[in-house]
Amino acid sequence: MTYKAWITITVRHTFFHTENAGVELKETDATSRFLQKSRLLFRKQNAAQWVLLKPETEPGTLNLCNLILKEAETFLDFELLIKSPDFYYMTRWEDTGLQSTSAGIRFRLYAGEEGGKIPKYLQVRIDPEFPERPGEIPITLPCREVRWEYILIPKYGNNTYPVELKESQDRLIFSVPEPISFPGEKEAYRSISSSFIPMKETYPYKIGLWERRENGRRLLNNHMPFPKVTSASVVEPGEVISSYFYY
């Protein structure tokens, strides 16, 4: 029996700069039974792509797969198995509702239950009018957008001169550091980005910490560490991530 690619599923995540999507697709038990019954095959192509293979019609024979697919509407469900431990921090999950591709393939993304680290699924809907020609389901998982804050702590609790954060090409703007109460520290300051920043695997920015003196500015650090996706702000945990820096 020979097979041909029928439905190609491509998953991207805007957090990553590579083909890695942070997930694997795995058919549910019910879908696995239907695939066996209809002789469809589900295979992984690469880190971001999976394909449903359909048996070709052999001369002089009926295509059992086509007959089964045309019997009634069928739901093929695939669980998104989370590979990245930071997936829930960096992903803005959205149930999509039913969508249709240019080839007429209907699908949706949905969560098993509401909220939390619960199963996520892709559902492909097959009905008797489903197109037999090959098609693709492109899925893009969006990253969260957050503001960055820096908690700046003088090593010796003596901030003689005011400091400021500056991105080398002014692509990010940070507020003037303001005093903040920080556990265990005599003195600390908070500076926050003016805009929301998409979470990324790597960033193109270069942030410096400068000290402002009467005769000009003095560079204290030219490579400020970026906030980690899991480092939620204690002030605004839902919309801000933090980086702590002693100077």
Side-chain angles (χ1 to χ4, degrees):
M1 184 177 296
T2 58
Y3 285 81
K4 62 180 179 181
W6 183 39
I7 302 174
T8 301
I9 304 167
T10 304
V11 184
R12 305 289 186 193
H13 198 305
T14 58
F15 176 85
F16 297 102
H17 294 276
T18 63
E19 289 188 343
N20 180 25
V23 298
E24 293 278 352
L25 288 185
K26 179 176 175 54
E27 66 271 28
T28 63
D29 290 343
T31 295
S32 179
R33 289 192 293 270
F34 180 83
L35 296 181
Q36 292 177 17
K37 172 186 173 183
S38 60
R39 299 182 182 177
L40 289 168
L41 299 179
F42 183 61
R43 296 290 185 265
K44 181 176 180 178
Q45 296 286 82
N46 53 50
Q49 198 168 75
W50 292 260
V51 64
L52 273 169
L53 299 169
K54 191 165 175 278
E56 294 189 296
T57 302
E58 298 178 0
T61 64
L62 288 175
N63 191 314
L64 177 63
C65 179
N66 286 340
L67 293 176
I68 292 174
L69 292 175
K70 292 182 180 298
E71 284 180 351
E73 186 175 44
T74 301
F75 303 101
L76 303 182
D77 292 286
F78 303 90
E79 184 176 355
L80 278 68
L81 301 177
I82 309 305
K83 294 195 304 179
S84 170
D86 299 335
F87 181 86
Y88 292 97
Y89 295 98
M90 67 193 190
T91 305
R92 189 178 76 251
W93 178 266
E94 297 174 346
D95 287 9
T96 61
L98 194 61
Q99 302 181 62
S100 183
T101 70
S102 58
I105 303 172
R106 297 187 301 159
F107 72 97
R108 70 181 179 113
L109 292 174
Y110 70 98
E113 302 172 21
E114 291 189 5
K117 298 181 179 180
I118 44 120
K120 314 294 187 185
Y121 296 93
L122 162 68
Q123 183 178 82
V124 182
R125 297 197 178 185
I126 311 287
D127 60 44
E129 302 303 319
F130 195 87
E132 293 187 18
R133 64 184 184 276
E136 181 177 358
I137 297 177
I139 296 171
T140 299
L141 301 175
C143 62
R144 286 178 58 214
E145 295 187 2
V146 292
R147 295 169 74 190
W148 289 5
E149 74 173 6
Y150 282 87
I151 305 300
L152 306 169
I153 306 170
K155 289 181 181 179
Y156 306 106
N158 182 20
N159 187 33
T160 306
Y161 299 100
V163 294
E164 64 180 2
L165 289 167
K166 185 174 176 60
E167 202 279 320
S168 61
Q169 299 182 37
D170 292 327
R171 291 169 292 185
L172 301 177
I173 305 298
F174 290 91
S175 66
V176 175
E178 297 182 352
I180 184 176
S181 177
F182 195 77
E185 300 295 342
K186 179 181 177 181
E187 191 176 0
Y189 299 86
R190 180 179 186 247
S191 180
I192 188 168
S193 67
S194 61
S195 59
F196 283 80
I197 304 165
M199 288 183 171
K200 296 291 182 181
E201 191 174 18
T202 60
Y203 296 99
Y205 309 120
K206 184 179 180 182
I207 301 172
L209 179 65
W210 295 81
E211 188 178 64
R212 299 199 307 271
R213 298 194 174 197
E214 297 86 350
N215 59 347
R217 296 187 307 167
R218 184 171 76 93
L219 182 63
L220 299 179
N221 188 286
N222 200 30
H223 294 279
M224 293 293 287
F226 302 135
K228 303 293 186 184
V229 298
T230 56
S231 182
S233 166
V234 296
V235 180
E236 300 176 70
E239 296 186 340
V240 180
I241 56 176
S242 304
S243 182
Y244 302 89
F245 187 77
Y246 286 85
Y247 66 96

